[in-house]
Amino acid sequence: MNDIRHTSVPLSHLVKGACGLICAVENKDELARLQSMGVCIGRRVEVIKPGDPLILRVFGARIGLSARMAEHVQVEPCSKAPRCWEVSV
Amino acid sequence: MSTRILLAGNPNAGKTTLFNALTGLRMRTGNFHGTTVEWKSGTLRLPGQKSSSRGAEPDAVEILDLPGIYSLKAATPEEAVAAEVLTGHNPDFPTADAVVAVVDASNLDRNLFLVSQLAECGKPMILAVTMLDVAREAGIRVDLDRLSERMNCPVIPLNIPKNQGVDLLQDQICQWNQMHFTGVPLPYKPTEESLCGAGCSSCPFSRRFTWSEQLAAEVVRTQHVARSRSTDRLDEVLTHPLWGVLAFLGVMTLLFALIFAVAEIPMALIEVLFGWIADTAATVLPDNDFGSLLSDGILTGVGNVVVFLPQILILFFFLALLEDTGYLSRAAFVMDRLMRKVGLPGTAFVPMVSGHACAIPAIMSTRVIENARDRLATILVLPLMSCAARIPVYVILIRLLFPNQPLLAALAFTGAYVLGVGAALGSAYLLKKTILPGESKPLLLELPAYKTPGIGNAGMHAYEKGLTFLKQAGTIILLISMALWALSTYPKSEPPESVLALRMQAEQSDSPDELLAAADREEARHAIEHSFAGRMARGIEPVVRPLGFDGRIGLGILSSFAAREVIVSTLSIVYGLGEEGEEDEVLLVDTLRQARHPDGRPVFTRPASWSLLVFYVLAMQCLPTQVVTRSETGSWKWPLLQLGYMSTLAYIASFLVYQTLSLL
Ligand SMILES: Nc1nc2c(ncn2[C@@H]2O[C@H](COP(=O)(O)OP(=O)(O)OP(=O)(O)O)[C@@H](O)[C@H]2O)c(=O)[nH]1
Ligand SMILES: [Mg+2]
């Protein structure tokens, strides 16, 4: 747990085109809403457009997300795959 | 015992398209009890059955179109309601026999995630797979047989825009009770439902994601990696902080101009038609109270209801088209940061723009706003937008102010609009700071791929909205129109001496028409000034005097309580031009300019005209809007608050304008 946190950054810090593996969602109020859209621990996301609000690709869909919310999502930067939002099986 | 089938699936999966194909026009709509979530229910169009047969035959199959959801875990009111219906806990729809899960083939991973939850509800399930054409274009092929095998339920491929697969699905639905439903094999126990908190990589939520991805990977044959680059490229512009906002303003201006220009034709037709019917009725009906009630009370009332329909239909038709293209979510995306500054979400902007045509459809379109508080704040401030009904009033007053200065007149016009928008944004800010506190929900929405919109769906959507308006607001607006008619008609008064004198003169004259018309105008003026409304106006004169108004303007304000534009015809009557006076703007403006107080001072001085203009920008003055506010918020409390704060705002602003300008 601790070493994950070590390398993790808020989702809002990723640059355009970067991918991340979600390791914590600290946004308790919006947790359910985020989860049902696929922003959940263990998912991969790709930042299509950074900024506020930012655009993500997660679970095969484009999602617009306010930076305020993205600040509370911790991700571990990971390498880009053709469909990187998909966890390899 | 009739059968009920539920349509469930992700937003934009194609449920409503399927619903329309299955039921056609045989449908009802309403809100789930205690929510603003809409349901649509219809009867299945069975082969060989006449489409005219409505209602609940014993073997009828009812189809219920549920709102689009991402998950059954209630994060939004839509999800809460859908989960209730699917688990049999909803008071409106306590039972259901089977579920048609509508699945978008172009994003099976996420759609199957919801399906995994639907399967847990334990109802017989049919998978209806849509968007196969879109998937094919993206290089995705779906092995439907394999999917059916793995899900242990029938899988029907659909392409409704091409009318493929609907018959097959219909047959399958009719055989729902012959399906040997043994349940979908899921790799986890449905009961171990727990929150996916930190560090629970094996929680059911997460395992469902994994399950759906594995299943999708198994049934999908991807030929080449294709991602919608065109959508990404369009988004570069349309979600850009500057270009995106400009594009949005352009699109909205276009939409607004369309509503304005297109709705004018049917609205004028409706006015002419109802005018003609009322005139004809007046000649046929007896010349007594009953006849007057029918032609002036009821017919005018019906006209007052119907005249809103063109704007409602046109706005919702174009909004549905825009939504279908995928653009509306981009609009919400780019406007979000700006709208947050006054405490509203980006989705509030479309209703705010639509409010400039008419507040009624605008209020009806606030349903796109997710959060209840945000929606309420938006509804409360929408009537401050300068709607089309204010234009005739603005025209008259601005002509009075700037008779031969078109530039200044245009500036004043713009100023009136800006004042309305500013007051609305300011009020929204204050409302969010006081009685509706709390942060608005941070933005989180899907940005679907762009596509060409479906005209048929948009038409159905507009039709539904029209019906909703007639059903929820029509009767009350009609009743109010009749009450107002009574107020300005009763008590009857004897024609005054001057009228009798004019009529006597007419009898002896060679050209009596002129004199008779003058007598009629004088009688109309006398009648309205001695009616209840006229008496009330005299009662409020001391109240409006500090704003620079006399009793006649007070009467105009009172009579236009139901609809602002009525003040023009009332002023025309009370200043002796008769009802037709409103058609001749130049004459009316001249007459108003000549109007004098009993002591000889002019009535429409500069300060008084400005004051009246500001009053009409800010005052509520539209009962139909209030009725719709009530039906959209579910309580009379909110329209009363709307009336209260807008009237106060208008009064104070007019007072300040009049007093300040009078000092200069
Ligand atoms: N290409 C294609 N388009 C489809 C198909 N089925 C539906 N559509 C289109 O998809 C869009 C969305 O369909 P809707 O029926 O409104 O989706 P919905 O599931 O009711 O969406 P919500 O009410 O938001 O949950 C419409 O423009 C349809 O014309 C299909 O099989 N192929
Ligand atoms: Mg729908």
Short mmCIF file of all heavy atoms in Angstrom, two decimals, chain B residues 598-647:
data_model
loop_
_atom_site.label_atom_id
_atom_site.label_comp_id
_atom_site.label_asym_id
_atom_site.label_seq_id
_atom_site.Cartn_x
_atom_site.Cartn_y
_atom_site.Cartn_z
N PRO B 598 -54.54 64.05 -14.14
CA PRO B 598 -55.62 65.03 -13.98
C PRO B 598 -55.09 66.45 -13.84
O PRO B 598 -55.71 67.40 -14.29
CB PRO B 598 -56.32 64.57 -12.69
CG PRO B 598 -56.00 63.12 -12.55
CD PRO B 598 -54.69 62.90 -13.22
N ASP B 599 -53.91 66.61 -13.26
CA ASP B 599 -53.40 67.98 -13.09
C ASP B 599 -52.62 68.47 -14.30
O ASP B 599 -51.96 69.51 -14.24
CB ASP B 599 -52.55 68.06 -11.82
CG ASP B 599 -51.36 67.10 -11.86
OD1 ASP B 599 -51.11 66.52 -12.94
OD2 ASP B 599 -50.68 66.93 -10.83
N GLY B 600 -52.64 67.70 -15.38
CA GLY B 600 -52.04 68.19 -16.62
C GLY B 600 -50.61 67.77 -16.85
O GLY B 600 -50.07 68.00 -17.94
N ARG B 601 -49.95 67.12 -15.90
CA ARG B 601 -48.59 66.65 -16.14
C ARG B 601 -48.64 65.43 -17.05
O ARG B 601 -49.59 64.63 -16.97
CB ARG B 601 -47.92 66.24 -14.81
CG ARG B 601 -47.52 67.40 -13.91
CD ARG B 601 -46.95 66.85 -12.60
NE ARG B 601 -47.92 65.98 -11.91
CZ ARG B 601 -47.68 64.71 -11.58
NH1 ARG B 601 -46.54 64.14 -11.90
NH2 ARG B 601 -48.60 64.00 -10.94
N PRO B 602 -47.65 65.25 -17.92
CA PRO B 602 -47.66 64.05 -18.75
C PRO B 602 -47.45 62.79 -17.89
O PRO B 602 -46.76 62.85 -16.87
CB PRO B 602 -46.49 64.24 -19.71
CG PRO B 602 -45.66 65.32 -19.14
CD PRO B 602 -46.54 66.16 -18.25
N VAL B 603 -48.08 61.68 -18.33
CA VAL B 603 -47.97 60.43 -17.58
C VAL B 603 -46.66 59.73 -17.90
O VAL B 603 -45.90 59.34 -17.01
CB VAL B 603 -49.15 59.50 -17.92
CG1 VAL B 603 -48.99 58.17 -17.19
CG2 VAL B 603 -50.47 60.15 -17.54
N PHE B 604 -46.41 59.58 -19.22
CA PHE B 604 -45.23 58.83 -19.62
C PHE B 604 -44.03 59.75 -19.77
O PHE B 604 -43.54 60.00 -20.87
CB PHE B 604 -45.49 58.05 -20.91
CG PHE B 604 -46.38 56.86 -20.67
CD1 PHE B 604 -47.75 56.98 -20.74
CD2 PHE B 604 -45.82 55.64 -20.33
CE1 PHE B 604 -48.57 55.89 -20.50
CE2 PHE B 604 -46.63 54.55 -20.08
CZ PHE B 604 -48.02 54.67 -20.16
N THR B 605 -43.58 60.24 -18.63
CA THR B 605 -42.36 61.03 -18.65
C THR B 605 -41.19 60.08 -18.84
O THR B 605 -41.35 58.86 -18.78
CB THR B 605 -42.18 61.75 -17.31
OG1 THR B 605 -42.20 60.74 -16.30
CG2 THR B 605 -43.29 62.75 -17.06
N ARG B 606 -40.02 60.65 -19.05
CA ARG B 606 -38.82 59.84 -19.21
C ARG B 606 -38.60 58.91 -18.00
O ARG B 606 -38.48 57.70 -18.17
CB ARG B 606 -37.63 60.79 -19.39
CG ARG B 606 -36.50 60.29 -20.17
CD ARG B 606 -35.82 61.44 -20.89
NE ARG B 606 -36.09 61.32 -22.30
CZ ARG B 606 -35.39 60.50 -23.09
NH1 ARG B 606 -34.41 59.79 -22.61
NH2 ARG B 606 -35.69 60.40 -24.36
N PRO B 607 -38.57 59.49 -16.78
CA PRO B 607 -38.37 58.60 -15.62
C PRO B 607 -39.44 57.51 -15.52
O PRO B 607 -39.12 56.36 -15.24
CB PRO B 607 -38.46 59.55 -14.43
CG PRO B 607 -38.14 60.89 -14.98
CD PRO B 607 -38.63 60.91 -16.39
N ALA B 608 -40.70 57.87 -15.78
CA ALA B 608 -41.78 56.88 -15.64
C ALA B 608 -41.62 55.78 -16.69
O ALA B 608 -41.83 54.60 -16.40
CB ALA B 608 -43.13 57.55 -15.77
N SER B 609 -41.24 56.14 -17.92
CA SER B 609 -41.09 55.13 -18.97
C SER B 609 -39.94 54.19 -18.65
O SER B 609 -40.06 52.97 -18.80
CB SER B 609 -40.86 55.79 -20.32
OG SER B 609 -41.88 56.70 -20.60
N TRP B 610 -38.81 54.77 -18.23
CA TRP B 610 -37.68 53.92 -17.83
C TRP B 610 -38.08 52.99 -16.71
O TRP B 610 -37.77 51.79 -16.70
CB TRP B 610 -36.49 54.77 -17.37
CG TRP B 610 -35.60 55.25 -18.46
CD1 TRP B 610 -35.37 56.54 -18.83
CD2 TRP B 610 -34.79 54.44 -19.34
NE1 TRP B 610 -34.48 56.59 -19.87
CE2 TRP B 610 -34.11 55.31 -20.20
CE3 TRP B 610 -34.59 53.06 -19.48
CZ2 TRP B 610 -33.24 54.87 -21.19
CZ3 TRP B 610 -33.73 52.62 -20.45
CH2 TRP B 610 -33.06 53.51 -21.30
N SER B 611 -38.78 53.56 -15.75
CA SER B 611 -39.20 52.78 -14.59
C SER B 611 -40.09 51.62 -15.01
O SER B 611 -39.92 50.49 -14.56
CB SER B 611 -39.92 53.71 -13.63
OG SER B 611 -40.64 52.99 -12.70
N LEU B 612 -41.02 51.89 -15.94
CA LEU B 612 -41.92 50.83 -16.39
C LEU B 612 -41.14 49.76 -17.17
O LEU B 612 -41.39 48.56 -17.04
CB LEU B 612 -43.04 51.42 -17.26
CG LEU B 612 -44.19 50.47 -17.60
CD1 LEU B 612 -44.85 49.94 -16.34
CD2 LEU B 612 -45.24 51.15 -18.48
N LEU B 613 -40.17 50.22 -17.95
CA LEU B 613 -39.35 49.27 -18.72
C LEU B 613 -38.60 48.34 -17.75
O LEU B 613 -38.64 47.11 -17.90
CB LEU B 613 -38.36 50.03 -19.60
CG LEU B 613 -37.45 49.17 -20.48
CD1 LEU B 613 -38.28 48.40 -21.50
CD2 LEU B 613 -36.42 50.03 -21.20
N VAL B 614 -37.96 48.92 -16.76
CA VAL B 614 -37.22 48.10 -15.79
C VAL B 614 -38.17 47.16 -15.07
O VAL B 614 -37.86 45.99 -14.84
CB VAL B 614 -36.47 49.02 -14.79
CG1 VAL B 614 -35.95 48.23 -13.61
CG2 VAL B 614 -35.34 49.73 -15.49
N PHE B 615 -39.35 47.68 -14.77
CA PHE B 615 -40.33 46.84 -14.08
C PHE B 615 -40.65 45.60 -14.92
O PHE B 615 -40.68 44.48 -14.43
CB PHE B 615 -41.61 47.63 -13.81
CG PHE B 615 -42.58 46.91 -12.94
CD1 PHE B 615 -42.49 47.00 -11.55
CD2 PHE B 615 -43.58 46.12 -13.48
CE1 PHE B 615 -43.37 46.31 -10.74
CE2 PHE B 615 -44.47 45.43 -12.68
CZ PHE B 615 -44.36 45.52 -11.29
N TYR B 616 -40.86 45.81 -16.23
CA TYR B 616 -41.21 44.68 -17.08
C TYR B 616 -40.05 43.73 -17.35
O TYR B 616 -40.25 42.57 -17.66
CB TYR B 616 -41.89 45.14 -18.37
CG TYR B 616 -43.38 45.16 -18.15
CD1 TYR B 616 -43.98 46.23 -17.48
CD2 TYR B 616 -44.17 44.08 -18.47
CE1 TYR B 616 -45.33 46.23 -17.19
CE2 TYR B 616 -45.51 44.06 -18.18
CZ TYR B 616 -46.08 45.13 -17.54
OH TYR B 616 -47.41 45.08 -17.24
N VAL B 617 -38.82 44.22 -17.23
CA VAL B 617 -37.69 43.30 -17.35
C VAL B 617 -37.69 42.35 -16.15
O VAL B 617 -37.45 41.15 -16.29
CB VAL B 617 -36.35 44.07 -17.40
CG1 VAL B 617 -35.18 43.10 -17.35
CG2 VAL B 617 -36.26 44.93 -18.65
N LEU B 618 -38.01 42.88 -14.99
CA LEU B 618 -37.74 42.12 -13.77
C LEU B 618 -38.96 41.45 -13.14
O LEU B 618 -38.82 40.51 -12.36
CB LEU B 618 -37.11 43.05 -12.71
CG LEU B 618 -35.76 43.66 -13.12
CD1 LEU B 618 -35.30 44.65 -12.07
CD2 LEU B 618 -34.72 42.57 -13.32
N ALA B 619 -40.18 41.91 -13.47
CA ALA B 619 -41.34 41.39 -12.75
C ALA B 619 -41.75 40.01 -13.27
O ALA B 619 -41.50 39.68 -14.43
CB ALA B 619 -42.51 42.36 -12.85
N MET B 620 -42.39 39.23 -12.43
CA MET B 620 -42.77 37.85 -12.78
C MET B 620 -43.83 37.85 -13.87
O MET B 620 -43.61 37.31 -14.94
CB MET B 620 -43.26 37.17 -11.50
CG MET B 620 -43.67 35.73 -11.64
SD MET B 620 -42.39 34.64 -12.24
CE MET B 620 -43.14 34.04 -13.70
N GLN B 621 -45.01 38.44 -13.63
CA GLN B 621 -46.00 38.69 -14.67
C GLN B 621 -46.23 37.58 -15.68
O GLN B 621 -46.38 37.85 -16.86
CB GLN B 621 -45.61 39.95 -15.46
CG GLN B 621 -45.43 41.21 -14.65
CD GLN B 621 -46.71 41.75 -14.10
OE1 GLN B 621 -47.12 41.36 -13.02
NE2 GLN B 621 -47.38 42.61 -14.81
N CYS B 622 -46.25 36.32 -15.28
CA CYS B 622 -46.60 35.28 -16.25
C CYS B 622 -47.10 34.06 -15.48
O CYS B 622 -46.32 33.27 -14.97
CB CYS B 622 -45.39 34.92 -17.11
SG CYS B 622 -45.75 33.65 -18.34
N LEU B 623 -48.42 33.94 -15.38
CA LEU B 623 -48.97 32.83 -14.61
C LEU B 623 -48.67 31.47 -15.21
O LEU B 623 -48.37 30.53 -14.48
CB LEU B 623 -50.46 33.03 -14.39
CG LEU B 623 -50.76 33.98 -13.24
CD1 LEU B 623 -52.23 34.34 -13.20
CD2 LEU B 623 -50.34 33.38 -11.91
N PRO B 624 -48.73 31.31 -16.54
CA PRO B 624 -48.39 29.98 -17.08
C PRO B 624 -47.00 29.51 -16.63
O PRO B 624 -46.82 28.34 -16.31
CB PRO B 624 -48.45 30.20 -18.59
CG PRO B 624 -49.42 31.31 -18.76
CD PRO B 624 -49.22 32.22 -17.59
N THR B 625 -46.04 30.44 -16.57
CA THR B 625 -44.71 30.06 -16.11
C THR B 625 -44.78 29.55 -14.67
O THR B 625 -44.13 28.57 -14.31
CB THR B 625 -43.77 31.28 -16.16
OG1 THR B 625 -43.66 31.68 -17.50
CG2 THR B 625 -42.40 30.94 -15.61
N GLN B 626 -45.59 30.21 -13.87
CA GLN B 626 -45.70 29.80 -12.48
C GLN B 626 -46.34 28.42 -12.36
O GLN B 626 -45.95 27.62 -11.51
CB GLN B 626 -46.53 30.82 -11.73
CG GLN B 626 -45.90 32.20 -11.82
CD GLN B 626 -45.68 32.78 -10.47
OE1 GLN B 626 -46.55 33.40 -9.91
NE2 GLN B 626 -44.51 32.53 -9.92
N VAL B 627 -47.31 28.18 -13.24
CA VAL B 627 -47.95 26.86 -13.20
C VAL B 627 -46.93 25.77 -13.56
O VAL B 627 -46.87 24.71 -12.93
CB VAL B 627 -49.15 26.82 -14.17
CG1 VAL B 627 -49.73 25.42 -14.24
CG2 VAL B 627 -50.21 27.81 -13.74
N VAL B 628 -46.09 26.07 -14.55
CA VAL B 628 -45.08 25.08 -14.95
C VAL B 628 -44.02 24.93 -13.86
O VAL B 628 -43.55 23.83 -13.58
CB VAL B 628 -44.46 25.47 -16.31
CG1 VAL B 628 -43.27 24.58 -16.62
CG2 VAL B 628 -45.50 25.34 -17.40
N THR B 629 -43.68 26.03 -13.21
CA THR B 629 -42.74 25.94 -12.08
C THR B 629 -43.30 25.01 -11.02
O THR B 629 -42.61 24.16 -10.47
CB THR B 629 -42.50 27.33 -11.46
OG1 THR B 629 -41.93 28.17 -12.43
CG2 THR B 629 -41.57 27.24 -10.26
N ARG B 630 -44.59 25.17 -10.78
CA ARG B 630 -45.22 24.30 -9.78
C ARG B 630 -45.15 22.83 -10.24
O ARG B 630 -44.80 21.95 -9.47
CB ARG B 630 -46.62 24.82 -9.52
CG ARG B 630 -47.77 23.88 -9.40
CD ARG B 630 -47.84 23.25 -8.05
NE ARG B 630 -47.80 21.85 -8.36
CZ ARG B 630 -48.50 20.90 -7.81
NH1 ARG B 630 -49.21 21.15 -6.79
NH2 ARG B 630 -48.47 19.68 -8.23
N SER B 631 -45.45 22.57 -11.50
CA SER B 631 -45.48 21.17 -11.91
C SER B 631 -44.07 20.58 -11.98
O SER B 631 -43.89 19.39 -11.78
CB SER B 631 -46.23 20.98 -13.23
OG SER B 631 -45.53 21.56 -14.29
N GLU B 632 -43.05 21.41 -12.22
CA GLU B 632 -41.69 20.87 -12.27
C GLU B 632 -41.05 20.74 -10.89
O GLU B 632 -40.11 19.98 -10.72
CB GLU B 632 -40.79 21.74 -13.16
CG GLU B 632 -41.12 21.66 -14.63
CD GLU B 632 -40.79 20.29 -15.24
OE1 GLU B 632 -39.71 19.75 -14.97
OE2 GLU B 632 -41.64 19.76 -15.97
N THR B 633 -41.54 21.54 -9.91
CA THR B 633 -40.92 21.45 -8.59
C THR B 633 -41.80 20.69 -7.62
O THR B 633 -41.35 20.33 -6.54
CB THR B 633 -40.68 22.85 -7.98
OG1 THR B 633 -41.95 23.52 -7.90
CG2 THR B 633 -39.73 23.67 -8.81
N GLY B 634 -43.05 20.47 -8.01
CA GLY B 634 -43.93 19.66 -7.17
C GLY B 634 -44.52 20.40 -5.99
O GLY B 634 -45.11 19.78 -5.12
N SER B 635 -44.36 21.72 -5.93
CA SER B 635 -44.91 22.43 -4.78
C SER B 635 -45.22 23.87 -5.17
O SER B 635 -44.51 24.48 -5.97
CB SER B 635 -43.89 22.39 -3.64
OG SER B 635 -43.97 23.55 -2.86
N TRP B 636 -46.28 24.43 -4.58
CA TRP B 636 -46.62 25.83 -4.87
C TRP B 636 -45.67 26.79 -4.17
O TRP B 636 -45.66 27.99 -4.44
CB TRP B 636 -48.06 26.14 -4.44
CG TRP B 636 -49.07 25.66 -5.42
CD1 TRP B 636 -49.95 24.62 -5.25
CD2 TRP B 636 -49.32 26.18 -6.74
NE1 TRP B 636 -50.71 24.47 -6.39
CE2 TRP B 636 -50.36 25.40 -7.31
CE3 TRP B 636 -48.77 27.22 -7.49
CZ2 TRP B 636 -50.86 25.63 -8.59
CZ3 TRP B 636 -49.26 27.45 -8.78
CH2 TRP B 636 -50.29 26.66 -9.30
N LYS B 637 -44.90 26.26 -3.22
CA LYS B 637 -43.99 27.09 -2.48
C LYS B 637 -43.03 27.83 -3.42
O LYS B 637 -42.78 29.03 -3.27
CB LYS B 637 -43.20 26.17 -1.54
CG LYS B 637 -42.26 26.85 -0.61
CD LYS B 637 -41.77 25.86 0.45
CE LYS B 637 -40.59 25.06 -0.07
NZ LYS B 637 -40.11 24.06 0.88
N TRP B 638 -42.51 27.11 -4.41
CA TRP B 638 -41.48 27.70 -5.27
C TRP B 638 -42.01 28.77 -6.21
O TRP B 638 -41.42 29.84 -6.30
CB TRP B 638 -40.70 26.60 -5.99
CG TRP B 638 -40.05 25.69 -5.01
CD1 TRP B 638 -40.33 24.37 -4.80
CD2 TRP B 638 -39.03 26.03 -4.04
NE1 TRP B 638 -39.56 23.87 -3.77
CE2 TRP B 638 -38.75 24.86 -3.29
CE3 TRP B 638 -38.35 27.20 -3.74
CZ2 TRP B 638 -37.82 24.84 -2.27
CZ3 TRP B 638 -37.41 27.17 -2.72
CH2 TRP B 638 -37.15 26.01 -2.00
N PRO B 639 -43.14 28.52 -6.89
CA PRO B 639 -43.67 29.63 -7.69
C PRO B 639 -44.01 30.85 -6.84
O PRO B 639 -43.83 31.99 -7.29
CB PRO B 639 -44.92 29.05 -8.36
CG PRO B 639 -45.13 27.71 -7.78
CD PRO B 639 -43.86 27.27 -7.16
N LEU B 640 -44.46 30.64 -5.61
CA LEU B 640 -44.76 31.79 -4.75
C LEU B 640 -43.49 32.55 -4.41
O LEU B 640 -43.47 33.79 -4.43
CB LEU B 640 -45.45 31.32 -3.47
CG LEU B 640 -46.93 30.99 -3.66
CD1 LEU B 640 -47.53 30.43 -2.38
CD2 LEU B 640 -47.69 32.24 -4.11
N LEU B 641 -42.43 31.80 -4.14
CA LEU B 641 -41.16 32.45 -3.85
C LEU B 641 -40.69 33.24 -5.08
O LEU B 641 -40.24 34.39 -4.98
CB LEU B 641 -40.11 31.40 -3.49
CG LEU B 641 -38.71 31.97 -3.29
CD1 LEU B 641 -38.64 32.79 -2.02
CD2 LEU B 641 -37.66 30.88 -3.26
N GLN B 642 -40.85 32.61 -6.25
CA GLN B 642 -40.48 33.24 -7.51
C GLN B 642 -41.21 34.58 -7.67
O GLN B 642 -40.61 35.62 -7.93
CB GLN B 642 -40.94 32.30 -8.63
CG GLN B 642 -40.10 32.24 -9.85
CD GLN B 642 -40.62 31.14 -10.76
OE1 GLN B 642 -41.81 30.82 -10.78
NE2 GLN B 642 -39.73 30.55 -11.52
N LEU B 643 -42.53 34.52 -7.45
CA LEU B 643 -43.35 35.71 -7.57
C LEU B 643 -42.90 36.74 -6.55
O LEU B 643 -42.73 37.93 -6.89
CB LEU B 643 -44.82 35.32 -7.31
CG LEU B 643 -45.82 36.45 -7.34
CD1 LEU B 643 -45.89 37.02 -8.74
CD2 LEU B 643 -47.18 35.97 -6.89
N GLY B 644 -42.66 36.31 -5.34
CA GLY B 644 -42.30 37.23 -4.26
C GLY B 644 -41.00 37.95 -4.54
O GLY B 644 -40.94 39.18 -4.55
N TYR B 645 -39.94 37.16 -4.87
CA TYR B 645 -38.65 37.84 -4.98
C TYR B 645 -38.57 38.66 -6.26
O TYR B 645 -37.99 39.75 -6.28
CB TYR B 645 -37.49 36.85 -4.85
CG TYR B 645 -36.91 36.32 -6.12
CD1 TYR B 645 -35.93 37.03 -6.82
CD2 TYR B 645 -37.34 35.11 -6.66
CE1 TYR B 645 -35.40 36.55 -8.00
CE2 TYR B 645 -36.81 34.63 -7.83
CZ TYR B 645 -35.84 35.35 -8.50
OH TYR B 645 -35.33 34.88 -9.66
N MET B 646 -39.20 38.18 -7.34
CA MET B 646 -39.13 38.95 -8.58
C MET B 646 -39.92 40.24 -8.47
O MET B 646 -39.50 41.29 -8.97
CB MET B 646 -39.60 38.11 -9.77
CG MET B 646 -38.57 37.07 -10.17
SD MET B 646 -39.09 36.03 -11.53
CE MET B 646 -39.21 37.23 -12.85
N SER B 647 -41.10 40.19 -7.81
CA SER B 647 -41.89 41.41 -7.67
C SER B 647 -41.15 42.41 -6.80
O SER B 647 -41.11 43.61 -7.11
CB SER B 647 -43.25 41.11 -7.04
OG SER B 647 -43.90 40.10 -7.77
#
